[in-house]
Structures are given as C-alpha cells and as structure tokens.
Amino acid sequence: MTAVRPPQSLLVVDAANVVGSVPDGWWKDRRGAAERLRDRLPAYAADGIAGWPGPVEIVLVVEGAARGVESVPGVRVVAAPGSGDDRIVEVVAGRDPAQDCVVVTADRELRRRVEAHGARCVGPRTVRG
C-alpha cells in the first residue's frame, strides 16, 4: 500500500497588511505595491519561510485597488470581492484539512479568526525580505 502524502503546506499572505507594514509610499500605487510583493513571493515556494520548510503553495489575497493583480508561477492571487480578511478566512477554512497552513499578517483579529481554523500566523517581516 502506498502512503498518501499530505498536500504541501499553504502560505496565505494578507497583501494589504504586509504592504501596509512599511511606510514606503505604497498608498500612491496600491496595485503596484501588491505586484512588487507578489513578485518577491515565488522565492519562498520551494524553500518555505523561517520555521516552515518548503515546498509551500502560496496564495496572495488582494483587495480594493489591488484587485486585478494577476497570478504568477508559484503564487496564486485571489481577489477579495469585499473584505480581504473575510476572503483569507474562506481560503484557510476551505483548504484540505490535512494541509498545514500559515497566514502572514499582523492583524490581531484576523489572526484569531484563522487560528480558529487551525492556521498558524507569522508577521509581515517574514516575507518583506
């Protein structure tokens, strides 16, 4: 009998929270800031993040002016039709139950909500590089 391998870990990134964690002028071009973040994330797909080895499936959740940012190899972009936090909770709750999950955010309320679905949380610096 062949052992069933659990799906690779899921890394869900709260784009608005990570982009907003550094006052670098992101508010002048929210979409561009989300695209720059997206373009840094594929580097984590194979190796994972500190304390969370790869490979990982990466989902970047965008909202507001960042809607329309496209997926790239290694990063699936999910646009929130309304609240980004609500969409992140949906992604976490809808994953394969065998899939480990980490959410990148500093939002305390969002952390509480996703931890209720078995996710772990890390801060924005984890993927800010």
Side-chain angles (χ1 to χ4, degrees), residues 21-106:
S21 69
V22 176
D24 61 1
W26 58 264
W27 51 89
K28 297 174 190 172
D29 181 12
R30 292 171 191 255
R31 182 180 175 143
E35 288 171 338
R36 288 187 296 279
L37 171 60
R38 176 207 57 201
D39 293 346
R40 285 194 311 269
L41 294 176
Y44 299 102
D47 297 332
I49 58 174
W52 203 266
V56 296
E57 174 188 354
I58 300 173
V59 174
L60 177 66
V61 177
V62 297
E63 62 185 273
R67 282 189 209 106
V69 169
E70 299 290 326
S71 296
V72 296
V75 179
R76 178 169 52 102
V77 177
V78 174
S83 163
D85 290 1
D86 290 347
R87 187 67 181 114
I88 290 167
V89 173
E90 290 171 6
V91 168
V92 170
R95 76 187 190 285
D96 182 319
Q99 191 175 36
D100 289 330
C101 182
V102 174
V103 175
V104 182
T105 187

Side-chain angles (χ1 to χ4, degrees), residues 5 7-8 10 15 24 30 42 44 53 59 73 80 84 100 107-108 114 129:
R5 182 176 173 213
Q8 63 186 178
L10 178 64
D24 61 1
R30 292 171 191 255
Y44 299 102
V59 174
D100 289 330
D107 183 311
R108 289 183 187 162
V114 297

